[in-house]
Amino acid sequence: MDLSGAGLLWSLGVCLSLLETAALSVTMRDTSLEAVRGDSVVLPCSFFTSSPLFRLNVIWTVAPLSSPETPMQVIVYDHGEVIEDSSLTGRVAFTGIPWSADIVLNDTRVSDAGVYRCMVNNPPETADPGIGELELSVLAPPSLPVCHWDGDIDEGGSVTLSCSVAEGVPTPEIHWDKLNPEEISLPINMEDDSSGSVQISNVSSQTSGLYRCSATNLLGTENCYMNLSIFKAPDSSSGILQAVLVTLTMSALLLALLVLVLWLHRTGQTGRRREVKEEDESYNEINYSPSLMKRSFV
């Protein structure tokens, strides 16, 4: 073999060696994305390889925000076969496989939020495992808040108004208002990320009324309402006065009833006397009439 032939073989061997050890590159066009709950979102993942795609392998995983220590598989492309995770069946798909590793996530949910990783392998090339991550945030409007109160609703007591919201991304802001009989804004004590409370001390009749809790984020506002009634104990002096008034009223009614009975009794006696007198006068007139006596003896 001449030198030219040996050089050609050496060059071909070097090229083959370089191809076998070439590194496959993976790039993410975005490092973070936002989606509104219920919408669709495309998670981009681009790769470059110099080898044929017969043995291409793409794996998408996610570390959920709720449990970042336990990543789960999203979707896999392996030797022409697509495998979806059972919890995402019908909601996830590749958009341009094998030329692109992009995937689409449909009907997004708050639980879909997390850190997604795209890993591409195309033997004999190797990929850099440190490339291919993006964070997905799923926004959601506030859920309907729940209003409740706790404490002493007797006048002079203390009442705490609380408002809790189960869902909302970003975390909803809580606001309390008293709507009637006069509209005022109340200060909020935030106990945690999703609830707010208002403490009202030394309550009075002016505290009674309709209250509203508003939960707001950039996607909207939801409200709940609560009617608060403060109980006022009766005043002892006013109770005595009421008892006296009731006694006087009853006495007046009894006196009026007695007067009526006496009047009716007297009226009845007078009527009977008049009837007796009239009967006596009629009797005397018949017995002692001179004309009648004469006719009786003729």
Side-chain angles (χ1 to χ4, degrees):
M1 182 181 294
D2 58 9
L3 293 177
S4 60
L8 182 60
L9 288 176
W10 181 84
S11 299
L12 182 59
V14 170
C15 290
L16 291 174
S17 177
L18 290 174
L19 287 175
E20 289 179 356
T21 59
L24 181 149
S25 62
V26 178
T27 57
M28 309 296 280
R29 298 189 295 276
D30 297 292
T31 57
S32 63
L33 290 173
E34 286 186 348
V36 177
R37 184 182 61 188
D39 289 351
S40 298
V41 60
V42 174
L43 308 184
C45 178
S46 302
F47 65 89
F48 174 80
T49 178
S50 57
S51 299
L53 303 176
F54 303 125
R55 301 171 62 187
L56 180 67
N57 175 267
V58 179
I59 302 174
W60 276 92
T61 62
V62 59
L65 292 182
S66 57
S67 54
E69 317 82 21
T70 56
M72 56 175 285
Q73 185 172 285
V74 176
I75 192 170
V76 173
Y77 177 84
D78 187 31
H79 295 77
E81 182 181 4
V82 176
I83 304 171
E84 305 169 5
D85 184 82
S86 58
S87 64
L88 297 169
T89 300
R91 294 204 301 123
V92 64
F94 286 101
T95 62
I97 207 72
W99 314 111
S100 168
D102 295 359
I103 60 172
V104 60
L105 188 60
N106 299 309
D107 188 22
T108 53
R109 304 170 184 174
V110 173
S111 58
D112 293 334
V115 177
Y116 286 76
R117 171 173 287 189
C118 173
M119 294 176 286
V120 181
N121 292 296
N122 189 34
E125 293 181 288
T126 59
D128 182 355
I131 298 176
E133 287 187 351
L134 67 83
E135 183 174 355
L136 175 66
S137 300
V138 180
L139 310 181
S143 59
L144 189 66
V146 177
C147 296
H148 60 278
W149 67 269
D150 185 33
D152 182 7
I153 59 173
D154 290 334
E155 192 171 42
S158 179
V159 175
T160 299
L161 310 181
S162 299
C163 181
S164 57
V165 185
E167 189 176 88
V169 181
T171 301
E173 294 183 358
I174 305 298
H175 186 76
W176 274 99
D177 295 292
K178 184 173 185 287
L179 299 183
N180 61 42
E182 57 177 340
E183 185 169 354
I184 57 175
S185 180
L186 303 176
I188 296 295
N189 298 320
M190 294 300 292
E191 295 181 347
D192 52 51
D193 292 339
S194 60
S195 68
S197 64
V198 173
Q199 186 172 16
I200 307 174
S201 302
N202 194 24
V203 296
S204 63
S205 57
Q206 285 75 26
T207 309
S208 299
L210 182 65
Y211 291 79
R212 175 183 64 193
C213 171
S214 303
T216 304
N217 67 10
L218 56 86
L219 296 181
T221 300
E222 290 288 348
N223 303 307
C224 64
Y225 300 86
M226 184 179 63
N227 194 30
L228 188 65
S229 298
I230 303 303
F231 175 74
K232 182 178 181 180
D235 188 9
S236 58
S237 59
S238 64
I240 295 173
L241 179 61
Q242 289 178 359
V244 171
L245 291 176
V246 169
T247 303
L248 292 176
T249 303
M250 294 298 296
S251 299
L253 289 175
L254 290 174
L255 182 60
L257 182 60
L258 180 60
V259 170
L260 178 62
V261 170
L262 292 175
W263 180 79
L264 290 175
H265 179 70
R266 183 176 181 182
T267 302
Q269 288 183 344
T270 303
R272 284 196 297 271
R273 289 174 182 173
R274 184 179 295 118
E275 289 176 358
V276 171
K277 184 178 181 181
E278 289 177 353
E279 289 177 358
D280 291 344
E281 291 176 352
S282 299
Y283 177 76
N284 293 333
E285 182 179 353
I286 293 173
N287 290 335
Y288 300 102
S289 175
S291 59
L292 288 176
M293 290 179 67
K294 283 184 178 183
R295 289 177 185 175
S296 62
F297 291 100
V298 175

